[in-house]
């Protein structure tokens, strides 16, 4: 299934073609508009020439930081995200022999998949739940019990990037998040 998150055909194709790109996009989805975060992997590919985890992990940190900081940067905090991206690449290389899809293809259950994702740098529980939901909803990766571990992100609707398939659904997710923030603020 093709991924349509960024509104940019090239960036979406990179996400569709490369499991590491999808993982990186999710990692970058923090304090930054989601469609821009998920465009980051295409920027890295275009500038660095590869998204191969081993090559990224072994890149000179200063040169890689400069590459990620070049406008348009991969994130609003390009330096710290470049370092985190290299850390993520190193972990994928070390633990999964550079084969990102093994992260989910070898998971024995939804609980195991969530645990594996939470071991990654930059993935707390909520982000891990959203990524598991994205894998389930958009790639059909549905180990037993995935719905239970992702909670409300498994529900139909427009709650997170897992539900973004076009510009209209992106706007619905934005509206949902805005409503949740307003409700939380009103309760405080």
């Amino acid at each position: 299934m093709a991924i349509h998150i960024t509104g940019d055909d090239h960036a979406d194709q990179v996400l569709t073609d490369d499991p590491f790109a999808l993982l990186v996009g999710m990692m970058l989805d923090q304090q930054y508009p989601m469609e821009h975060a998920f465009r980051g992997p295409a920027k890295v590919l275009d500038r660095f020439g590869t998204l191969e985890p081993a090559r990224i992990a072994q890149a000179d940190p200063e040169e890689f930081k400069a590459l990620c900081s070049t406008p348009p940067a991969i994130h609003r905090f390009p330096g710290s995200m470049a370092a985190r991206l290299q850390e993520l690449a190193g972990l994928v290389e070390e633990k999964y022999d550079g084969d990102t899809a093994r992260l989910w293809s070898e998971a024995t259950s939804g609980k195991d998949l969530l645990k594996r994702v939470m071991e990654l740098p930059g993935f707390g529980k909520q982000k891990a739940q959203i990524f598991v939901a994205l894998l389930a909803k958009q790639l059909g990766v549905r180990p037993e019990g995935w719905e239970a571990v992702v909670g409300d992100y498994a529900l139909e609707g427009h709650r997170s990037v897992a539900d973004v398939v076009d510009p209209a659904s992106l706007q619905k997710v934005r509206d949902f998040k805005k409503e949740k923030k307003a409700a939380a603020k009103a309760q405080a």
Side-chain angles (χ1 to χ4, degrees), residues 158-179:
H158 298 92
R159 291 174 166 67
S160 73
V161 71
D163 303 307
V164 176
V165 294
D166 57 27
S169 57
L170 174 63
Q171 187 57 51
K172 288 177 182 176
V173 169
R174 283 201 196 305
D175 294 344
F176 177 80
K177 287 182 172 190
K178 195 181 218 179
E179 288 171 24

Side-chain angles (χ1 to χ4, degrees), residues 30-142:
Q30 167 182 324
Q31 298 179 332
Y32 198 51
M34 72 182 84
E35 69 275 22
H36 295 291
F38 280 88
R39 287 179 194 149
K43 293 174 188 174
V44 173
L45 176 61
D46 293 345
R47 296 170 190 175
F48 192 62
T50 183
L51 286 172
E52 185 181 326
R55 296 263 313 276
I56 291 172
Q58 295 164 0
D60 176 88
E62 288 305 312
E63 289 176 17
F64 194 72
K65 178 180 173 181
L67 170 142
C68 291
S69 301
T70 301
I74 66 162
H75 194 273
R76 71 186 264 207
F77 303 114
S80 61
M81 288 301 173
R84 187 174 286 166
L85 173 49
Q86 285 193 284
E87 184 184 352
L88 177 66
L91 190 142
V92 168
E93 182 60 29
E94 178 186 315
K95 200 161 186 175
Y96 301 103
D97 297 319
D99 183 356
T100 306
R102 284 183 52 203
L103 175 70
W104 52 85
S105 67
E106 295 177 357
T108 58
S109 66
K111 188 175 181 179
D112 182 43
L113 178 54
L114 183 68
K115 179 180 158 276
R116 288 165 171 252
V117 176
M118 286 179 62
E119 292 172 347
L120 303 172
F123 283 78
K125 184 174 183 184
Q126 183 179 25
K127 185 180 283 200
Q129 288 175 310
I130 292 169
F131 189 67
V132 171
L134 187 151
L135 292 171
K137 290 180 173 185
Q138 299 209 26
L139 298 184
V141 175
R142 297 175 177 207

Side-chain angles (χ1 to χ4, degrees), residues 18-40:
D18 190 329
F20 187 66
L22 191 61
L23 186 63
V24 170
M26 189 72 221
M27 183 205 72
L28 293 171
D29 188 12
Q30 167 182 324
Q31 298 179 332
Y32 198 51
M34 72 182 84
E35 69 275 22
H36 295 291
F38 280 88
R39 287 179 194 149

